[in-house]
Amino acid sequence: MATLDNNKNQQGTVAENPIMANDQNVLQKHAAFFDRNHDGIVYPWETFQGFRAIGCGILLSTVAAIFINFGLSQKTRPGKFPSILLPIEVKNIQRGKHGSDSGAYDSEGRFVPSKFEEIFSKHARKHPNALTSDELMEMLKANRVPKDYKGWLASYTEWKILYVLAKDKDGLLQKETVRAVYDGSLFERMEKEHTEKKKNK
């Protein structure tokens, strides 16, 4: 996987964590990729377009759009009447945070470096900076809150989609890839790569 060049120090090595602990709601940056017209609202068709933009098939993009918008719409619109259009308000995306997750986002949508590091220090056994498919499943099970079935499903769906889309040729989910998901840069990079592939066909 490509590294983030703007995080290199003077020796040319990549600096650790590009996300600062006090970053203002990096979860919003993560969600904003799917706000295709930049109006602060993500509708199901925009979620669909976002998944298609990073190279997902029509079926996966459709299922993801329905699942994500149905699950997050009302949570991000506190006090408002439910809408059949299932809009998600990006400014309130932290309200959609579910249980049984890694804890790398706090309740305000800010990045928590220690929790991010725990993903790999606790579960990456074969490779210190990457997760195998089995290690990913172990992490999901370890994070489960008893009887939090919605949280279990949400975490499983999110991480399995990420694994399918972003694993490397050896079937590993690299640490820098996961970090790029949390700061939102992975989606932009995948969109660029997918666009270039289409141009070269």
Side-chain angles (χ1 to χ4, degrees):
M1 287 288 177
T3 52
L4 304 177
D5 292 339
N6 58 346
N7 295 308
K8 289 185 178 180
N9 59 24
Q10 291 180 345
Q11 287 74 39
T13 58
V14 179
E16 272 302 304
N17 206 348
I19 316 171
M20 302 304 292
N22 61 354
D23 269 4
Q24 185 63 34
N25 203 334
V26 290
L27 186 54
Q28 289 178 356
K29 298 176 186 176
H30 171 96
F33 173 81
F34 296 94
D35 180 12
R36 306 305 284 178
N37 63 357
H38 311 293
D39 66 351
I41 305 293
V42 178
Y43 290 98
W45 53 89
E46 290 182 288
T47 306
F48 174 85
Q49 291 167 0
F51 274 91
R52 290 291 286 157
I54 61 176
C56 295
I58 292 176
L59 179 59
L60 176 57
S61 300
T62 301
V63 172
I66 295 170
F67 179 83
I68 291 171
N69 283 73
F70 184 81
L72 295 179
S73 179
Q74 197 54 36
K75 291 180 180 179
T76 63
R77 303 173 68 248
K80 295 182 180 179
F81 197 76
S83 170
I84 59 172
L85 297 179
L86 300 178
I88 295 171
E89 294 190 8
V90 175
K91 67 179 181 180
N92 294 324
I93 193 64
Q94 69 275 7
R95 292 177 177 269
K97 188 177 180 294
H98 56 78
S100 301
D101 64 0
S102 66
Y105 289 128
D106 69 10
S107 60
E108 298 299 319
R110 294 170 299 205
F111 183 68
V112 183
S114 60
K115 289 294 185 181
F116 172 77
E117 293 297 333
E118 279 184 11
I119 294 173
F120 297 89
S121 64
K122 288 185 175 181
H123 305 288
R125 297 185 181 90
K126 291 187 178 179
H127 308 275
N129 292 315
L131 295 172
T132 65
S133 179
D134 289 342
E135 290 168 347
L136 177 59
M137 291 306 300
E138 289 175 11
M139 181 196 73
L140 292 174
K141 290 178 181 178
N143 288 339
R144 285 179 180 173
V145 174
K147 297 183 180 180
D148 176 29
Y149 303 116
K150 288 183 179 179
W152 296 6
L153 177 61
S155 289
Y156 176 84
T157 303
E158 291 168 358
W159 281 95
K160 288 301 286 186
I161 289 176
L162 173 62
Y163 180 80
V164 169
L165 293 178
K167 65 183 178 182
D168 65 16
K169 59 182 177 61
D170 298 314
L172 299 173
L173 188 59
Q174 296 289 338
K175 184 176 183 179
E176 66 179 45
T177 301
V178 178
R179 184 186 287 117
V181 172
Y182 282 112
D183 70 12
S185 65
L186 179 67
F187 299 137
E188 295 172 2
R189 191 167 72 202
M190 291 179 71
E191 180 178 22
K192 183 178 178 182
E193 291 172 354
H194 182 61
T195 300
E196 290 174 353
K197 284 181 182 178
K198 289 198 297 184
K199 286 181 180 178
N200 294 330
K201 281 186 178 182

